[in-house]
Amino acid sequence: MLTAILKLIASGIEFFLGIPFVGGAFIFANAWGPLLLMFLFYLAILLLSIKYGYAKWGAITGMVVSIVAFIPVVGMILHWVAFFALLFDGIMNYKQAKARG
């Protein structure tokens, strides 16, 4: 359940970072620090996903996006890709967690 919650939180953050101009301004204003923070957040999610046997593709997508997203327009598009990937992965993890009990 923890991985599902973290992935859904991460999808909300990716939604914010993918907003044209707003997300970019936030990233630029913080000297790309949010991308490093998100990479570390996705690394933690990946390790938890491995530990508890959940899908890893959402966290891996987020890590790749965090690395490549320093390119302005490409970054905005990739944040949207990560948003949808993490949203679907989080929902799937939530359903799996409920089924496991």
Side-chain angles (χ1 to χ4, degrees):
M1 183 70 79
L2 176 63
T3 58
I5 293 168
L6 291 175
K7 288 176 183 180
L8 292 173
I9 290 169
S11 71
I13 295 169
E14 289 294 344
F15 178 83
F16 169 74
L17 294 175
I19 297 173
F21 304 110
V22 175
F26 178 74
I27 290 170
F28 287 140
N30 291 295
W32 287 272
L35 296 180
L36 176 61
L37 180 66
M38 290 306 293
F39 180 83
L40 297 174
F41 186 49
Y42 292 129
L43 181 61
I45 292 172
L46 178 63
L47 294 174
L48 288 171
S49 295
I50 291 169
K51 180 179 179 179
Y52 294 113
Y54 290 111
K56 297 170 270 310
W57 57 271
I60 293 170
T61 302
M63 291 172 74
V64 170
V65 167
S66 294
I67 293 169
V68 181
F70 69 91
I71 304 168
V73 176
V74 174
M76 180 186 69
I77 295 167
L78 289 176
H79 283 301
W80 281 100
V81 170
F83 162 69
F84 286 114
L86 287 157
L87 180 65
F88 293 132
D89 195 11
I91 291 170
M92 288 174 40
N93 283 181
Y94 181 76
K95 288 180 182 180
Q96 287 176 341
K98 284 188 79 171
R100 288 182 184 180

